[in-house]
Amino acid sequence: MFDLEETVMGIIINAGQSRSLCYEALLCAKQGQFSEADDLLKQATEAANAAHAVQTKLIEADQGTGEIAVTLVLVHAQDHLMTSMLAKELVVELIDIYRRQAA
């Protein structure tokens, strides 16, 4: 099947990358570099999509049967994913505010 720990690390790594890129985008927007911010947000979305794809793979493998062990690292990965999703939503809103202020 697959190595659960290695698979879960795919969520953690990609979600963390997404969150980091979001905050880099926010910094660019604060400096008025909106094109760069948009590029970073696009990269953040790609990383988030990769994390979500891993999550989907786990959900499909489990099929509601409870066969996938719920480990601390899996819970940690879910925390990373949800936190990165929230960060992206907030950063997008903040960048919009900076963009409107600059106009």
Side-chain angles (χ1 to χ4, degrees):
M1 191 156 136
F2 57 85
D3 180 337
L4 181 61
E5 189 170 315
E6 184 178 315
T7 302
V8 168
M9 289 306 294
I11 296 173
I12 294 170
I13 291 166
N14 286 299
Q17 179 70 9
S18 177
R19 187 176 55 250
S20 294
L21 288 163
C22 285
Y23 286 111
E24 284 183 50
L26 182 58
L27 180 60
C28 285
K30 287 169 97 174
Q31 297 169 346
Q33 301 168 340
F34 297 108
S35 178
E36 292 87 346
D38 291 339
D39 289 342
L40 288 165
L41 284 177
K42 181 180 179 200
Q43 292 175 47
T45 298
E46 291 169 0
N49 288 345
H52 189 260
V54 174
Q55 180 192 47
T56 300
K57 177 181 173 182
L58 288 171
I59 291 169
E60 289 172 350
D62 186 67
Q63 297 179 354
T65 61
E67 292 182 29
I68 300 293
V70 179
T71 63
L72 185 56
V73 73
L74 178 57
V75 172
H76 181 64
Q78 288 298 118
D79 278 347
H80 270 278
L81 181 57
M82 296 308 297
T83 302
S84 70
M85 291 169 68
L86 177 60
K88 184 171 182 279
E89 291 171 3
L90 290 172
V91 165
V92 166
E93 292 298 321
L94 289 169
I95 288 174
D96 185 53
I97 291 169
Y98 281 119
R99 199 182 308 268
R100 283 187 276 145
Q101 285 180 340

